[in-house]
Amino acid sequence: MNRKIVAAAAAALTGAGLVTAVALTPSASAGQAVSAADQVQSEIVAALSRDLKISPDQARTRLDGEQKAARADSDLKTRLGSSYGGSWLDATGTTLTVAVTDAALEGTVRAAGATPKTVTRSAAQLDAAKLSLDARGTSAPKNVPGWYVDATTNSIVVLANAGAEATAKSWATASGVRADAVRVETSTETPVPLIDVIGGNAYTFGSGRCSIGFSVEGGFVTAGHCGTTGTRTSNPSGSVAGSSFPGNDYGWVRVDAGNTPRPLVNRYPGTVPVAGSQEAAIGASVCRSGSTTGWHCGTIQQKNASVNYPQGTVSGLTRTNACAEPGDSGGSWLAGDQAQGVTSGGSGNCSSGGTFYFQPIAEILSVYNLRLVTSGSNPPSSTTTPTTTTSNNPPGGTWAAGTTYAAGATVTYGGASYRALQAHTAQAGWEPPNVPALWARA
């Protein structure tokens, strides 16, 4: 994570402040409601309805409010400066709370339509305290699965498996963080990076499989544990140009000539456009795409979380309840049409639920000086012969680009029969003999 912490932020974690609750009511007129719905694809609304158990109208209202929340939070963060204490949305996604520490700013807060309430610590102070824990991450007990900044309680939460609460508290205290700034919570999490060595996706490396995150100019971003720098990838072909894990969990792949990055995310089936990368607030809905489990949604629970994987601690992650499983690693996280990050790991699965983490996109783009390919941009098309082409006399068979295939479906291509290994929507270049991640000879 980016550790540019202002020195003053490391001062004693004391002082008074206030919390502001900003009501974000949806647009009242039918015309405005239609406009908001037009900005969100029906597929996203349907997924939110399914996973958050709300109606389509409630999903549209929520998305509308979350867009307003993101703009309000960005504005207040700038205006409040060092007094900013973090922000979060309520369970309905309609009320944004912004914490500040200077009571003299109450007038500014009220002028923005907020209701004040006191808190103790600023976001910078909380981040500085958590940085002390991060510095001792290598000595964290194995039964401490992670720790994070919890803006809603204005504290640092250290997770501990049952019976290890005292050990977790002692470790946190030894890190130099004030006891009144730390809360220990009992957790059943046992996080591991979501990598599947069995293989089977549009992007593989050696005997492993991960998921593409987002297209950037020249390639795509993904998880750092999905291959070290120099590792060759297949489907699409390329090389890992940068990778950081543990500590962080991000990387990017520079694709070979003939592969063209697109501003799209697979919704299994169908696609979702990527329009930008505006950060969503805590409490906002978020959906993720991965090659193992497809498309699932949930909400953002906390930010700036550290996770103690068996391979080492990763910091700066975002904590969510949107499920993922091995092989989903590196996959896309979206809030509406805004890129949020790439799958890191988690504890649980898509049958029983659990807690899951993603690496925020902003840091990846910044560290490697990358530019996100969005639906409003015009990335250059490939100027060389694609790695897989359709000749003037294409092989016969029942396989066809644009067709959605369920796992187990059978097709013929080039005189051979193939069985689908996972559900997907076929694309040009994903012909069965070229994509062993998706098809096996029957």
Side-chain angles (χ1 to χ4, degrees), residues 172-428:
T173 301
S175 300
V177 180
R178 289 183 51 158
D180 62 356
V182 175
R183 292 190 307 109
V184 175
E185 290 188 0
T186 303
S187 171
T188 58
E189 292 185 39
T190 53
V192 294
L194 298 177
I195 185 168
D196 186 348
V197 300
I198 296 175
N201 193 20
Y203 133 62
T204 59
F205 56 100
S207 60
R209 168 172 64 90
C210 276
S211 301
I212 293 172
F214 293 95
S215 291
V216 295
E217 293 184 356
F220 61 87
V221 295
T222 186
H225 70 264
C226 291
T228 57
T229 301
T231 299
R232 286 292 299 172
T233 67
S234 299
N235 303 312
S237 59
S239 294
V240 177
S243 177
S244 180
F245 177 81
N248 306 291
D249 195 5
Y250 53 65
W252 85 283
V253 173
R254 181 183 289 112
V255 296
D256 294 342
N259 298 294
T260 303
R262 300 291 187 188
L264 299 170
V265 169
N266 195 337
R267 198 187 63 82
Y268 290 95
T271 58
V272 177
V274 179
S277 57
Q278 185 174 54
E279 184 179 353
I282 294 172
S285 58
V286 65
C287 296
R288 51 145 292 276
S289 178
S291 59
T292 298
T293 59
W295 183 259
H296 288 275
C297 301
T299 58
I300 294 173
Q301 297 180 323
Q302 287 88 23
K303 299 182 181 181
N304 193 13
S306 291
V307 178
N308 197 21
Y309 291 128
Q311 296 89 339
T313 301
V314 174
S315 298
L317 301 181
T318 297
R319 194 168 185 258
T320 82
N321 59 3
C323 74
E325 294 183 8
D328 288 328
S329 281
S332 321
W333 288 74
L334 285 162
D337 58 6
Q338 299 296 305
Q340 299 298 305
V342 301
T343 301
S344 174
S347 179
N349 54 52
C350 288
S351 296
S352 61
T355 301
F356 306 89
Y357 299 86
F358 68 79
Q359 169 76 56
I361 185 72
E363 185 176 1
I364 312 175
L365 300 178
S366 175
V367 167
Y368 296 121
N369 194 28
L370 300 172
R371 182 176 177 181
L372 189 69
V373 176
T374 64
S375 54
S377 62
N378 295 298
S381 299
S382 171
T383 57
T384 59
T385 302
T387 53
T388 56
T389 62
T390 300
S391 65
N392 292 331
N393 297 295
T398 59
W399 180 90
T403 302
T404 298
Y405 294 103
T410 58
V411 299
T412 57
Y413 185 88
S417 297
Y418 295 86
R419 176 176 55 83
L421 299 178
Q422 61 179 302
H424 68 282
T425 299
Q427 299 182 25

Side-chain angles (χ1 to χ4, degrees), residues 9-68:
L13 301 178
T14 60
L18 47 116
V19 167
T20 64
V22 181
L24 299 163
T25 55
S27 303
S29 72
Q32 289 174 313
V34 171
S35 177
D38 288 343
Q39 297 175 18
V40 182
Q41 288 196 352
S42 60
E43 293 90 346
I44 297 177
V45 171
L48 287 174
S49 297
R50 178 195 67 198
D51 291 348
L52 299 187
K53 295 178 173 58
I54 57 179
S55 70
D57 284 343
Q58 289 173 321
R60 294 186 186 94
T61 297
R62 181 175 185 122
L63 287 167
D64 186 42
E66 289 170 358
Q67 290 174 357
K68 295 177 182 178

